Amino acid sequence: LNKKKISKVYHPIRVSYYSTFFFKRDIKLILFSIMHNLLEYDKNMKLFSYLKKENLKRLQTLYIDDNKKYNEKYLPDYYKKIYSSDLLTKKLKCLDKLDNLFNLNKNKDKNLKKKYLFEIKKYILPLAKKLSKSLYFYLNLLYLHNIKLLNQK
């Protein structure tokens, strides 16, 4: 396995691990964290027949079109769906972004980093603030750290 594939395997495991810090032992959140990237990996939807309808709906809500994810018109609509989704989906979105922020410094594209950090500030931090003070604190800390790193280069 190459590094990128290994990283894709570890990402859901890390996200589920973070969930135990911020939301105690929420078994549904832990399990959903492990499967949250299924749409990205199972384009033929072979695994979807095994999912409950509510989890399939969550996965569809979380799925972001990579070709449009920094489109100024797409992002507000995407986050409107996230903001109107259930609590589990909102928590997962914030935890997913937390893990991504830990690894943002590995990306060499400064412009992409700026867009990503704008997304965090505009959509994720306000959402996290409503969900958990400690999650908001850590997300904000990582956000500020990444801003500092971006401005140093």
Side-chain angles (χ1 to χ4, degrees), residues 51-99:
L51 295 176
K52 290 181 179 182
K53 284 184 182 181
E54 63 189 15
N55 284 331
L56 182 57
K57 183 180 178 189
R58 288 180 182 123
L59 289 174
Q60 290 168 331
T61 301
L62 288 167
Y63 179 75
I64 188 160
D65 186 334
D66 279 340
N67 298 321
K68 297 178 184 177
K69 71 178 176 183
Y70 296 114
N71 178 302
E72 291 177 21
K73 292 180 182 177
Y74 176 77
L75 222 46
D77 289 340
Y78 172 76
Y79 276 101
K80 189 175 182 180
K81 286 190 261 178
I82 298 291
Y83 271 70
S84 64
S85 67
D86 69 337
L87 191 58
L88 191 75
T89 305
K90 292 173 188 171
K91 288 177 180 178
L92 194 282
K93 187 64 185 179
C94 290
L95 293 167
D96 180 52
K97 292 297 185 181
L98 177 76
D99 186 56

